[in-house]
Amino acid sequence: MEIGNETGRAADNVVAALEAKIVSGELENESPLPAERELMEQFGTSRTVIREAISKLSSRGLVETRPRFRPIVRKPDYATVLHACGNVVQHLLTEKSGIKNLYDSRVFIERALVREAASSARKDDIVDLKSALEENRKAIPDSLEFYRTDVAFHGVLYRIPKNPIFPAIHEGYTSWLAPQWDRMLRSPERNEVNYIAHKAILDAILERDPGAAEEALTNHLKAAWEFVRVTFDWGDE
Amino acid sequence: MEIGNETGRAADNVVAALEAKIVSGELENESPLPAERELMEQFGTSRTVIREAISKLSSRGLVETRPRFRPIVRKPDYATVLHACGNVVQHLLTEKSGIKNLYDSRVFIERALVREAASSARKDDIVDLKSALEENRKAIPDSLEFYRTDVAFHGVLYRIPKNPIFPAIHEGYTSWLAPQWDRMLRSPERNEVNYIAHKAILDAILERDPGAAEEALTNHLKAAWEFVRVTFDWGDE
DNA sequence: AGCGCCTTTTGGTATGACCAAACTTTGATG
DNA sequence: CATCAAAGTTTGGTCATACCAAAAGGCGCT
């Protein structure tokens, strides 16, 4: 009866409707979705369709579903979107080449980020970098804490362009490449090496030398990859 | 009886099984999935969970579903993954700020790409660039063809790092930002301007001058954005 | 072979039922 | 009165069955 039902996909209407209600805030963020049986009455359709719609919303990151709980509404932001993509990306990381490609892309991005930082970081960016580096230094004895501050230091770089896409990408990299870092965690002797590398990057940024910053960053990440590669006992990539 | 069935998610088992069969090639790429009723017999489960599993596979880009057709197996590659992410990303592009952020990230990436091209493009890369530019020049009178060659020219840049992730990203940008380009298509007088910009970029690459290449690229994309912005009659971003 | 018609297959949807886990209410208890 | 455990209710996950319309496939006719 409803207009717009041309093609056989009843669930899409429900998806669109709920989608609208979520982005408009009519369905409040972080709050549970109405019960399926209520939705099916509300939309005048069967539970089959409702469930399929919820499944689609879930895979789009608009709701978060746990096995036996009510779905939770998630207003889309860059982080949840990247997280939703993670489910899709994971297939490409089962082979070494996929991981290598992803890591290389990270190196590529961060090279550009440190260039950007060196050429146009603002005062507060510099403050953030210094503070992140200091946290990093203090955490050298504690591998777990060092990992956290390591990620945080790189995270500051991703925030410098003031584009929310980049922090989201950073989250993607750290979560998708996390399994590899586990090995690094168990090698505390690497902490000081990595700290020194971070310091070299920051020094180059402070001197406003994009080339040096890029080189320092490249050396840092290449060394980290080499370490992981050897630890995993991979042949040459 | 099967191990790994701890948590109440029967569909996940089916997803995992089909997933494995797809990546292993047991389910041939580009060929249709078995019928739902056959799968339900094969897995000893109801059609409900089979359908849910197929829906999940679809949203992960492992199968492609058209409304009333058999799902088609799609072995995951970077392009299909990016395409699958497109459904998720679209929410962020409904506002101007989302488009602006995405476009800025593109500028950021391509700046790094042309630097890379200028500093380490190989002979065949140069050949590709020259040929793409020539195609671009010849297409100046035909806006539709010009658009195609324009995309192709930028695409060559994304292929230079020899990392399949970048061409996939390029596909993402071109498809996600396509609506904006429509306006550009109807302004053939822009074609020559854009061609000249492309030529300037290539010239800088040929001179192995990363800085000049980055600047030329930046000018090119900033101008294109400005044109779109004015045409759309947006205020300042 | 090419083409239109008819049968079968198959995806999309609707119902209704059942279970187990989550949630809510209730009521006994200290 | 606050606490907490038991009983009752809701609700997501699954199953079985049925029906429809469109796609696929077969069949006969030209």
PDB file of all heavy atoms in Angstrom, chain B residues 37 47 51 67 70, chain C residues 9-13:
ATOM      1  N   ARG B  37      17.253 -23.647   0.416  1.00  0.00           N
ATOM      2  CA  ARG B  37      16.708 -24.899   0.938  1.00  0.00           C
ATOM      3  C   ARG B  37      17.757 -26.003   0.919  1.00  0.00           C
ATOM      4  O   ARG B  37      17.712 -26.934   1.721  1.00  0.00           O
ATOM      5  CB  ARG B  37      15.483 -25.303   0.112  1.00  0.00           C
ATOM      6  CG  ARG B  37      14.274 -24.424   0.380  1.00  0.00           C
ATOM      7  CD  ARG B  37      13.195 -24.627  -0.665  1.00  0.00           C
ATOM      8  NE  ARG B  37      11.963 -23.904  -0.358  1.00  0.00           N
ATOM      9  CZ  ARG B  37      11.734 -22.643  -0.713  1.00  0.00           C
ATOM     10  NH1 ARG B  37      12.666 -21.979  -1.353  1.00  0.00           N
ATOM     11  NH2 ARG B  37      10.598 -22.064  -0.403  1.00  0.00           N
ATOM     12  N   ARG B  47      15.699 -22.380   7.574  1.00  0.00           N
ATOM     13  CA  ARG B  47      15.964 -21.380   6.541  1.00  0.00           C
ATOM     14  C   ARG B  47      16.221 -20.019   7.166  1.00  0.00           C
ATOM     15  O   ARG B  47      16.951 -19.193   6.614  1.00  0.00           O
ATOM     16  CB  ARG B  47      14.777 -21.306   5.565  1.00  0.00           C
ATOM     17  CG  ARG B  47      15.123 -20.730   4.222  1.00  0.00           C
ATOM     18  CD  ARG B  47      14.388 -21.432   3.112  1.00  0.00           C
ATOM     19  NE  ARG B  47      13.025 -20.962   2.912  1.00  0.00           N
ATOM     20  CZ  ARG B  47      12.676 -19.979   2.089  1.00  0.00           C
ATOM     21  NH1 ARG B  47      13.614 -19.345   1.416  1.00  0.00           N
ATOM     22  NH2 ARG B  47      11.439 -19.625   1.935  1.00  0.00           N
ATOM     23  N   ARG B  51      19.161 -17.634   5.897  1.00  0.00           N
ATOM     24  CA  ARG B  51      18.936 -16.304   5.333  1.00  0.00           C
ATOM     25  C   ARG B  51      19.725 -15.259   6.112  1.00  0.00           C
ATOM     26  O   ARG B  51      20.308 -14.349   5.517  1.00  0.00           O
ATOM     27  CB  ARG B  51      17.450 -15.950   5.344  1.00  0.00           C
ATOM     28  CG  ARG B  51      16.595 -16.893   4.543  1.00  0.00           C
ATOM     29  CD  ARG B  51      15.249 -16.288   4.212  1.00  0.00           C
ATOM     30  NE  ARG B  51      15.229 -15.733   2.885  1.00  0.00           N
ATOM     31  CZ  ARG B  51      15.228 -14.451   2.604  1.00  0.00           C
ATOM     32  NH1 ARG B  51      15.233 -13.575   3.566  1.00  0.00           N
ATOM     33  NH2 ARG B  51      15.215 -14.029   1.365  1.00  0.00           N
ATOM     34  N   PRO B  67      17.670  -8.434  -5.526  1.00  0.00           N
ATOM     35  CA  PRO B  67      16.380  -8.779  -4.914  1.00  0.00           C
ATOM     36  C   PRO B  67      15.859 -10.183  -5.142  1.00  0.00           C
ATOM     37  O   PRO B  67      15.618 -10.876  -4.183  1.00  0.00           O
ATOM     38  CB  PRO B  67      15.448  -7.715  -5.483  1.00  0.00           C
ATOM     39  CG  PRO B  67      16.315  -6.515  -5.534  1.00  0.00           C
ATOM     40  CD  PRO B  67      17.712  -7.011  -5.842  1.00  0.00           C
ATOM     41  N   ARG B  70      19.664 -15.428  -7.262  1.00  0.00           N
ATOM     42  CA  ARG B  70      20.577 -16.191  -6.421  1.00  0.00           C
ATOM     43  C   ARG B  70      21.756 -15.304  -6.045  1.00  0.00           C
ATOM     44  O   ARG B  70      22.274 -14.561  -6.881  1.00  0.00           O
ATOM     45  CB  ARG B  70      21.093 -17.407  -7.198  1.00  0.00           C
ATOM     46  CG  ARG B  70      20.000 -18.383  -7.605  1.00  0.00           C
ATOM     47  CD  ARG B  70      19.710 -19.358  -6.498  1.00  0.00           C
ATOM     48  NE  ARG B  70      20.735 -20.379  -6.401  1.00  0.00           N
ATOM     49  CZ  ARG B  70      20.751 -21.483  -7.135  1.00  0.00           C
ATOM     50  NH1 ARG B  70      19.827 -21.699  -8.034  1.00  0.00           N
ATOM     51  NH2 ARG B  70      21.693 -22.386  -6.963  1.00  0.00           N
TER      52      ARG B  70
ATOM     53  P    DT C   9      11.190 -28.980  -8.975  1.00  0.00           P
ATOM     54  OP1  DT C   9      12.153 -30.104  -8.976  1.00  0.00           O
ATOM     55  OP2  DT C   9      10.012 -29.007  -8.097  1.00  0.00           O
ATOM     56  O5'  DT C   9      12.019 -27.653  -8.715  1.00  0.00           O
ATOM     57  C5'  DT C   9      12.960 -27.254  -9.697  1.00  0.00           C
ATOM     58  C4'  DT C   9      13.494 -25.867  -9.404  1.00  0.00           C
ATOM     59  O4'  DT C   9      12.466 -24.874  -9.632  1.00  0.00           O
ATOM     60  C3'  DT C   9      13.984 -25.641  -7.973  1.00  0.00           C
ATOM     61  O3'  DT C   9      15.285 -25.092  -8.043  1.00  0.00           O
ATOM     62  C2'  DT C   9      12.972 -24.673  -7.374  1.00  0.00           C
ATOM     63  C1'  DT C   9      12.507 -23.911  -8.603  1.00  0.00           C
ATOM     64  N1   DT C   9      11.150 -23.313  -8.521  1.00  0.00           N
ATOM     65  C2   DT C   9      11.008 -21.972  -8.731  1.00  0.00           C
ATOM     66  O2   DT C   9      11.937 -21.226  -8.965  1.00  0.00           O
ATOM     67  N3   DT C   9       9.704 -21.518  -8.663  1.00  0.00           N
ATOM     68  C4   DT C   9       8.573 -22.264  -8.411  1.00  0.00           C
ATOM     69  O4   DT C   9       7.461 -21.749  -8.369  1.00  0.00           O
ATOM     70  C5   DT C   9       8.795 -23.663  -8.190  1.00  0.00           C
ATOM     71  C7   DT C   9       7.648 -24.575  -7.914  1.00  0.00           C
ATOM     72  C6   DT C   9      10.062 -24.123  -8.267  1.00  0.00           C
ATOM     73  P    DT C  10      16.206 -24.964  -6.753  1.00  0.00           P
ATOM     74  OP1  DT C  10      17.619 -25.018  -7.171  1.00  0.00           O
ATOM     75  OP2  DT C  10      15.697 -25.919  -5.752  1.00  0.00           O
ATOM     76  O5'  DT C  10      15.902 -23.488  -6.276  1.00  0.00           O
ATOM     77  C5'  DT C  10      16.048 -22.418  -7.197  1.00  0.00           C
ATOM     78  C4'  DT C  10      15.562 -21.129  -6.587  1.00  0.00           C
ATOM     79  O4'  DT C  10      14.124 -21.022  -6.716  1.00  0.00           O
ATOM     80  C3'  DT C  10      15.866 -20.986  -5.087  1.00  0.00           C
ATOM     81  O3'  DT C  10      16.456 -19.742  -4.861  1.00  0.00           O
ATOM     82  C2'  DT C  10      14.491 -21.057  -4.441  1.00  0.00           C
ATOM     83  C1'  DT C  10      13.620 -20.453  -5.530  1.00  0.00           C
ATOM     84  N1   DT C  10      12.182 -20.783  -5.433  1.00  0.00           N
ATOM     85  C2   DT C  10      11.259 -19.803  -5.731  1.00  0.00           C
ATOM     86  O2   DT C  10      11.568 -18.685  -6.081  1.00  0.00           O
ATOM     87  N3   DT C  10       9.949 -20.206  -5.603  1.00  0.00           N
ATOM     88  C4   DT C  10       9.490 -21.451  -5.204  1.00  0.00           C
ATOM     89  O4   DT C  10       8.293 -21.690  -5.121  1.00  0.00           O
ATOM     90  C5   DT C  10      10.512 -22.413  -4.896  1.00  0.00           C
ATOM     91  C7   DT C  10      10.130 -23.792  -4.442  1.00  0.00           C
ATOM     92  C6   DT C  10      11.795 -22.036  -5.023  1.00  0.00           C
ATOM     93  P    DG C  11      17.212 -19.459  -3.478  1.00  0.00           P
ATOM     94  OP1  DG C  11      18.643 -19.371  -3.789  1.00  0.00           O
ATOM     95  OP2  DG C  11      16.725 -20.413  -2.465  1.00  0.00           O
ATOM     96  O5'  DG C  11      16.695 -18.000  -3.130  1.00  0.00           O
ATOM     97  C5'  DG C  11      16.994 -16.940  -4.025  1.00  0.00           C
ATOM     98  C4'  DG C  11      15.953 -15.852  -3.910  1.00  0.00           C
ATOM     99  O4'  DG C  11      14.634 -16.420  -4.063  1.00  0.00           O
ATOM    100  C3'  DG C  11      15.933 -15.119  -2.565  1.00  0.00           C
ATOM    101  O3'  DG C  11      15.665 -13.750  -2.801  1.00  0.00           O
ATOM    102  C2'  DG C  11      14.797 -15.785  -1.821  1.00  0.00           C
ATOM    103  C1'  DG C  11      13.827 -16.077  -2.963  1.00  0.00           C
ATOM    104  N9   DG C  11      12.950 -17.202  -2.711  1.00  0.00           N
ATOM    105  C8   DG C  11      13.303 -18.482  -2.379  1.00  0.00           C
ATOM    106  N7   DG C  11      12.282 -19.272  -2.231  1.00  0.00           N
ATOM    107  C5   DG C  11      11.174 -18.473  -2.471  1.00  0.00           C
ATOM    108  C6   DG C  11       9.797 -18.780  -2.450  1.00  0.00           C
ATOM    109  O6   DG C  11       9.258 -19.863  -2.210  1.00  0.00           O
ATOM    110  N1   DG C  11       9.018 -17.663  -2.763  1.00  0.00           N
ATOM    111  C2   DG C  11       9.526 -16.422  -3.052  1.00  0.00           C
ATOM    112  N2   DG C  11       8.625 -15.477  -3.316  1.00  0.00           N
ATOM    113  N3   DG C  11      10.808 -16.120  -3.073  1.00  0.00           N
ATOM    114  C4   DG C  11      11.575 -17.191  -2.771  1.00  0.00           C
ATOM    115  P    DG C  12      15.575 -12.759  -1.549  1.00  0.00           P
ATOM    116  OP1  DG C  12      16.037 -11.418  -1.971  1.00  0.00           O
ATOM    117  OP2  DG C  12      16.196 -13.424  -0.392  1.00  0.00           O
ATOM    118  O5'  DG C  12      14.012 -12.671  -1.307  1.00  0.00           O
ATOM    119  C5'  DG C  12      13.248 -11.766  -2.103  1.00  0.00           C
ATOM    120  C4'  DG C  12      11.900 -11.514  -1.469  1.00  0.00           C
ATOM    121  O4'  DG C  12      11.159 -12.753  -1.394  1.00  0.00           O
ATOM    122  C3'  DG C  12      11.966 -10.984  -0.024  1.00  0.00           C
ATOM    123  O3'  DG C  12      11.042  -9.917   0.114  1.00  0.00           O
ATOM    124  C2'  DG C  12      11.614 -12.182   0.826  1.00  0.00           C
ATOM    125  C1'  DG C  12      10.656 -12.935  -0.100  1.00  0.00           C
ATOM    126  N9   DG C  12      10.627 -14.373   0.152  1.00  0.00           N
ATOM    127  C8   DG C  12      11.705 -15.205   0.360  1.00  0.00           C
ATOM    128  N7   DG C  12      11.367 -16.455   0.563  1.00  0.00           N
ATOM    129  C5   DG C  12       9.981 -16.443   0.492  1.00  0.00           C
ATOM    130  C6   DG C  12       9.046 -17.502   0.632  1.00  0.00           C
ATOM    131  O6   DG C  12       9.275 -18.692   0.859  1.00  0.00           O
ATOM    132  N1   DG C  12       7.735 -17.062   0.483  1.00  0.00           N
ATOM    133  C2   DG C  12       7.372 -15.761   0.229  1.00  0.00           C
ATOM    134  N2   DG C  12       6.068 -15.528   0.118  1.00  0.00           N
ATOM    135  N3   DG C  12       8.236 -14.762   0.093  1.00  0.00           N
ATOM    136  C4   DG C  12       9.509 -15.174   0.234  1.00  0.00           C
ATOM    137  P    DT C  13      10.914  -9.191   1.539  1.00  0.00           P
ATOM    138  OP1  DT C  13      10.511  -7.803   1.240  1.00  0.00           O
ATOM    139  OP2  DT C  13      12.093  -9.470   2.380  1.00  0.00           O
ATOM    140  O5'  DT C  13       9.668  -9.908   2.190  1.00  0.00           O
ATOM    141  C5'  DT C  13       8.411  -9.861   1.511  1.00  0.00           C
ATOM    142  C4'  DT C  13       7.405 -10.701   2.246  1.00  0.00           C
ATOM    143  O4'  DT C  13       7.778 -12.089   2.179  1.00  0.00           O
ATOM    144  C3'  DT C  13       7.272 -10.381   3.742  1.00  0.00           C
ATOM    145  O3'  DT C  13       6.021  -9.748   3.948  1.00  0.00           O
ATOM    146  C2'  DT C  13       7.361 -11.741   4.441  1.00  0.00           C
ATOM    147  C1'  DT C  13       7.227 -12.725   3.294  1.00  0.00           C
ATOM    148  N1   DT C  13       7.940 -14.013   3.473  1.00  0.00           N
ATOM    149  C2   DT C  13       7.206 -15.161   3.545  1.00  0.00           C
ATOM    150  O2   DT C  13       5.995 -15.190   3.473  1.00  0.00           O
ATOM    151  N3   DT C  13       7.950 -16.310   3.710  1.00  0.00           N
ATOM    152  C4   DT C  13       9.325 -16.411   3.809  1.00  0.00           C
ATOM    153  O4   DT C  13       9.872 -17.489   3.959  1.00  0.00           O
ATOM    154  C5   DT C  13      10.034 -15.162   3.732  1.00  0.00           C
ATOM    155  C7   DT C  13      11.535 -15.143   3.821  1.00  0.00           C
ATOM    156  C6   DT C  13       9.313 -14.039   3.566  1.00  0.00           C
TER     157       DT C  13
END
